Amino acid sequence: MPHFIAECTDNIRELADLPGLFSKVNAALAATEIFPLGGIRSRAHWLDTWQMADGQHDYAFVHMTLKIGSGRSLESRQEVGEMLFELIKKHFAALMDSRYLALSFELAELHPTLNYKQNNVHALFK
């Protein structure tokens, strides 16, 4: 953990530059030094079927979630959330200036017990 997941409408696939966003997000998460580097992952889910608002325009949205393991203070979670949302808004600023676009972001803390994982990548960064 953490996992950054972007759910995006397919009509912005060419303009969203998600590889660029993921590079910025991963670097920012690593720079906090509160997340293990070997656990940072970013991915996209492209939506080819959706409707937004009244359906009368070429609307687009990106809903992003950062899933993190439990145990960090509310203050540190807020700092990370606010930092990432500023990064997200800057990344999409030009696209938002040129079209109808909704951005949303949530930070979700996983249950401390009901969260299962195995990862041998961590050893690479020790």
Side-chain angles (χ1 to χ4, degrees), residues 20-41:
L21 175 64
F22 293 165
S23 180
K24 293 173 203 172
V25 165
N26 285 25
L29 290 172
T32 68
E33 298 185 354
I34 62 173
F35 302 109
L37 185 59
I40 299 172
R41 297 178 208 151

Side-chain angles (χ1 to χ4, degrees), residues 9-30:
T9 57
D10 200 42
N11 60 342
I12 59 170
R13 185 183 288 256
E14 300 302 319
L15 301 172
D17 183 24
L18 290 189
L21 175 64
F22 293 165
S23 180
K24 293 173 203 172
V25 165
N26 285 25
L29 290 172

Side-chain angles (χ1 to χ4, degrees), residues 3-126:
H3 290 202
F4 182 78
I5 304 157
E7 185 180 10
C8 307
T9 57
D10 200 42
N11 60 342
I12 59 170
R13 185 183 288 256
E14 300 302 319
L15 301 172
D17 183 24
L18 290 189
L21 175 64
F22 293 165
S23 180
K24 293 173 203 172
V25 165
N26 285 25
L29 290 172
T32 68
E33 298 185 354
I34 62 173
F35 302 109
L37 185 59
I40 299 172
R41 297 178 208 151
S42 293
R43 60 188 174 270
H45 297 284
W46 290 102
L47 304 172
D48 64 3
T49 307
W50 75 94
Q51 182 168 334
M52 191 173 161
D54 60 7
Q56 299 301 308
H57 297 280
D58 187 29
Y59 302 118
F61 69 82
V62 184
H63 175 69
M64 293 146 285
T65 304
L66 180 69
K67 293 184 179 186
I68 65 170
S70 66
R72 291 163 187 91
S73 70
L74 176 59
E75 179 181 85
S76 66
R77 287 180 283 153
Q78 284 179 310
E79 288 174 8
V80 167
E82 290 168 8
M83 176 268 301
L84 280 184
F85 196 54
E86 285 304 312
L87 184 154
I88 289 163
K89 290 188 299 185
K90 286 178 187 171
H91 178 83
F92 287 106
L95 189 57
M96 185 163 267
D97 287 343
S98 69
R99 65 168 305 120
Y100 293 113
L101 176 64
L103 300 175
S104 56
F105 171 69
E106 68 177 316
L107 191 150
E109 183 179 48
L110 299 177
H111 191 277
T113 306
L114 303 175
N115 177 17
Y116 309 93
K117 54 189 167 256
Q118 181 177 349
N119 181 346
N120 66 3
V121 177
H122 290 292
L124 179 65
F125 297 100
K126 287 192 180 202

